[in-house]
Structure formats: structure tokens, C-alpha cells
Amino acid sequence: MDNFKWYAIQTYVGSEMAVKRAVENLVKDSSIGEQLKEVIVPTEDVVEYKNGKEKISQRCLYSGYVFANLDLNTELWHKIQSLPRVGRFIGESKKPTPLSEQDITLILEKAQNRAAPRLKIDFEKGESVRIREGSFANFTGMVEEYDAANGKLKLNVSIFGRSTPVDVECSKVEKIL
């Protein structure tokens, strides 16, 4: 009988990959190798612009969580939970509860079907930005609307002393600090 089930392990935010490696090393270094099938940290690619250069980095889809396919017993539970940066297993009555088939299917789908990289920058109404490229390069504007889904900004740009609405792609502007 297959006793392997998926569990969610709560971690410190930003420590997901370190916890993943720690769980894999724990299993490798001890005699419990046959109790772990897989440990995953679902991520997505995000594009950010620093100093005018495009950089693609990874961001966790489920910040603060690592998912493991385990044949879990009390000994393994306590060993994993005592690892650095591990909070606890998610579950009811302070005991690990396996994820439902529906939940883990959704999580695995997101992990395997990675979307195109998204912009990391968020803009707020009233924020000042400088247009880096295009026909309005080097103009500064005030954010009126931010359409995160389409990566577009509606800016209010002063051209010849008149306030003019301009639509610009988010990738072509930078925040003024």
C-alpha cells in the first residue's frame, strides 16, 4: 500500500529553498531515504529593472511554504519540524494533515506550467516615474492608473506646460526615488 501523501510545511518567508535543501539532506544523511519521494517549492519568473537592465529572478508562488511527498511517521515529522527555519506542518489538532488531491493537483500544475515572466514592479496612483524609452523618453510623469494584468500605465505627463495623458508599458519606465 502506498502511504505517501503530500504535506505543506510552513517555513520562514524567504527560506523556502533552504528548507527544501535541508529536508533533502536530512533524508540523504539518515536512513529515511525511502520515506521521501519529492520536495517542491513552486516558483514563477519575475522581471525587474535595476539600473536600466532587465533581470529575471524567481519568486515563490506560495511564500512561506514547502511541499513534500512523504511516508510520514512521528520520527520523520519531528526531525523535519526541528530543522532550522521550519515553523510547522500544516494540519488539524497540531498534527500534520495531508493535502487534498484537489489542492496538490492545483499546486503541481502551477509548478509545472510556468507562465511567461511577469513584472515585479508595482506602481501606485500619484507616484512619480521617468519614461526610459519610446517617444516620451526622459519625460517624467505621475501615475494615474496601473493595469498590472496588461503591464500598462496611464501617466500624466507635462508637455510644454500642459498635462497630457500618456499610456506606457511598465517595462519602459522607472520609479523616481
Side-chain angles (χ1 to χ4, degrees):
M1 189 169 122
D2 187 14
N3 291 325
F4 285 88
K5 292 183 175 47
W6 283 96
Y7 295 90
I9 304 168
Q10 193 173 32
T11 68
Y12 293 1
V13 174
S15 300
E16 298 87 359
M17 289 303 203
V19 169
K20 176 184 188 248
R21 286 190 297 276
V23 170
E24 290 169 341
N25 290 336
L26 171 74
V27 170
K28 211 184 303 176
D29 295 344
S30 57
S31 61
I32 52 178
E34 66 281 348
Q35 289 179 271
L36 171 75
K37 275 190 183 172
E38 189 177 5
V39 181
I40 63 166
V41 177
T43 59
E44 69 177 341
D45 293 331
V46 290
V47 177
E48 53 187 323
Y49 292 90
K50 285 193 177 174
N51 303 325
K53 292 192 173 125
E54 181 178 288
K55 179 184 167 207
I56 297 179
S57 57
Q58 290 189 336
R59 184 180 76 177
C60 290
L61 287 172
Y62 301 96
S63 189
Y65 292 95
V66 171
F67 302 95
N69 193 356
L70 303 166
D71 179 7
L72 194 65
N73 61 22
T74 307
E75 179 189 4
L76 180 57
W77 169 26
H78 290 295
K79 280 184 179 182
I80 291 174
Q81 197 154 309
S82 66
L83 289 171
R85 302 186 192 125
V86 171
R88 62 185 180 94
F89 276 84
I90 300 301
E92 297 172 16
S93 305
K94 296 186 180 178
K95 291 193 178 207
T97 304
L99 296 169
S100 71
E101 200 62 43
Q102 196 176 351
D103 288 342
I104 195 59
T105 301
L106 180 70
I107 291 166
L108 293 174
E109 250 176 44
K110 280 187 178 182
Q112 290 161 356
N113 302 330
R114 296 171 68 108
R118 295 184 326 143
L119 271 173
K120 183 178 182 179
I121 303 168
D122 285 329
F123 296 95
E124 293 181 24
K125 187 174 179 169
E127 196 169 27
S128 292
V129 295
R130 185 178 74 80
I131 302 171
R132 291 187 297 114
E133 50 187 89
S135 50
F136 296 101
N138 296 320
F139 278 87
T140 58
M142 188 83 66
V143 176
E144 289 296 313
E145 291 178 26
Y146 173 42
D147 182 1
N150 296 313
K152 299 257 186 201
L153 286 171
K154 183 170 279 194
L155 302 177
N156 225 342
V157 178
S158 178
I159 302 173
F160 303 119
R162 299 186 88 173
S163 188
T164 307
V166 176
D167 289 333
V168 182
E169 288 182 35
C170 293
S171 61
K172 294 185 172 27
V173 302
E174 62 188 7
K175 289 186 178 189
I176 298 175
L177 302 176

